[in-house]
Amino acid sequence: MGGEQAVEIAATSTEYVRVTATSRIGGVAVNVAAPPKFAFLPASNTGNPASGDWKTGEWNAPHARILIGPSAGALTLTAGEYTVWLTWAAGAEVPVYRAGTLTVY
C-alpha cells in the first residue's frame, strides 16, 4: 500500500501490509525511532481508531509495514472490507492517517 490504495489479501494468507510513509523536517527526510502503528477498522466504521485498535508494525524504509495473517501475524482478519490507519510519533507530532483500504476474501 502507498497513499490511498486498495489491496486484496486472502484470509488464509500471511503477508506484510505496507504503507509508504516519511517524516520530514525542513523538507529533509528523517529517520523515526518509534515504530509505526496500524489499525484495521471495518469499512462501515466512520470514526477514528481507539487506543486498543492499534498494532505495532515496523519500519522498512520508505515503508511502514505490519505482518498480518494466521501464521504469526500481528493480527488475523476475517473476510471483509477494512480501512487501514497509520500513526507514528515524530517528535512533538503524532500524525494519524487513513492509508487506504484492505479487502480480505
Side-chain angles (χ1 to χ4, degrees):
M1 298 185 75
E4 284 275 338
Q5 287 190 6
V7 174
E8 294 185 357
I9 296 175
T12 55
S13 181
T14 299
E15 57 187 281
Y16 283 104
V17 171
R18 294 173 180 84
V19 175
T20 302
T22 58
S23 289
R24 297 185 179 280
I25 296 176
V28 177
V30 294
N31 290 330
V32 179
K37 294 189 177 189
F38 289 80
F40 297 85
L41 298 182
S44 60
N45 183 333
T46 58
N48 288 303
S51 60
D53 295 328
W54 296 104
K55 304 294 182 197
T56 302
E58 64 186 14
W59 293 109
N60 186 12
H63 301 101
R65 70 180 187 176
I66 189 167
L67 188 65
I68 66 167
S71 296
L75 72 155
T76 300
L77 298 172
T78 58
E81 302 284 330
Y82 297 88
T83 300
V84 179
W85 292 79
L86 178 67
T87 188
W88 68 92
E93 296 181 325
V94 182
V96 176
Y97 296 106
R98 280 189 310 230
T101 59
L102 173 67
T103 300
V104 178
Y105 57 90

